[in-house]
Amino acid sequence: MLTKPERLQKGDCVGVIAPGSPTNRENLEKGIAFLESLGLRVKIGRNIYHRYGYLAGADEERLTDLNEMFADPVVKAIFCSNGGYGTARIAADLDYDLIRRNPKIFWGYSDITFLHTSIRQKSGLVTFHGPMLSSDVGKDTWSDVSASSFRQLFNNENVVYDEHIAPIEAPVVGRASGEFVGGNLCLLVTTLGTPYEIETKDKILFIEDIHEEPRSVDRMLNQLWLAGKLQHIAGLAVGDFNDCEPEEGKPTLSLDEVLSYYIKRINRPTLTGLKIGHCQPHIAVPLGTRAVLNANQKQLHIESGIS
């Protein structure tokens, strides 16, 4: 049984950390101002501006910020500044018992996918795949539609995604229900063969990615197939694959051809074109709650992740 964190209220204190790559200070300050505009008080991780090559500080520093935010009873939610790379390096040393004892909102995407998966499967906490403060909120492309996704943290709202947001395709019709899991395709593949290997049986699997050529998307989906992770899913939700174009001048399949091949092979109710991922607007969704994917009506309904 998964645990839903408590909803936010105005005046609550929330934490901000950078568990992967270094953060952009100027963008992060804009993201913090957004959280404050929601009536929240913000506590910044003490190592958030540290740098260690392509990492936001040494593993111990990033791990400390994450564990301290879960341990702090004043902090009601934890928002990631950005993704990049590095979360898998700290997953083995996270205090999952601490997280289980102190369930709270955990929010991010991209490289954060590894932590979403490990936290859900090791501590039973529902987490949130949503826009991040530096890499999304702090940029000029930030969308009011994306901003509205944060309401679900205050109002215990179910997420209902349909074509009022953007056009949806249903390459395989039907209706499926199950736990909603997934995230960034590359990071899902990196869980294979680890103690945090993504569990997909009878679940609705969501995938998205950025800056991957069609052959790379093909390689990753093939690896999930060979690992037995796609044959028994209940349904498939395909989010945004941003800038996943082939290198010019080389023989290639298109991204649509690659995705179509695996969608047909999986043959479960499928929705594609969802604005979830490295895109604007970017609709935030809870991971670990029950969802209904209705490809007949081109609608995705995800149960609230808040108690």
Side-chain angles (χ1 to χ4, degrees), residues 220-237:
M220 291 185 286
L221 288 171
N222 185 57
Q223 189 168 352
L224 286 177
W225 178 267
L226 293 176
K229 297 299 178 179
L230 301 178
Q231 290 87 334
H232 305 294
I233 63 173
L236 181 65

Side-chain angles (χ1 to χ4, degrees), residues 87-160:
T87 62
R89 289 176 55 132
I90 64 175
D93 294 314
L94 265 182
D95 190 339
Y96 294 103
D97 287 335
L98 170 70
I99 295 172
R100 187 180 299 108
R101 296 193 305 272
N102 298 276
K104 58 187 67 177
I105 294 161
F106 180 72
W107 179 289
Y109 76 107
S110 195
D111 192 59
I112 311 305
T113 295
F114 203 101
L115 294 181
H116 284 312
T117 305
S118 68
I119 288 172
R120 181 179 64 257
Q121 295 182 178
K122 294 298 183 181
S123 75
L125 178 65
V126 170
T127 60
F128 292 83
H129 183 287
M132 295 183 287
L133 302 180
S134 174
S135 52
D136 296 277
V137 182
K139 292 185 176 179
D140 293 338
T141 53
W142 180 236
S143 160
D144 288 342
V145 176
S146 303
S148 68
S149 287
F150 285 75
R151 291 186 321 215
Q152 64 187 279
L153 301 181
F154 295 86
N155 301 324
N156 195 23
E157 295 180 350
N158 293 341
V159 175
V160 180

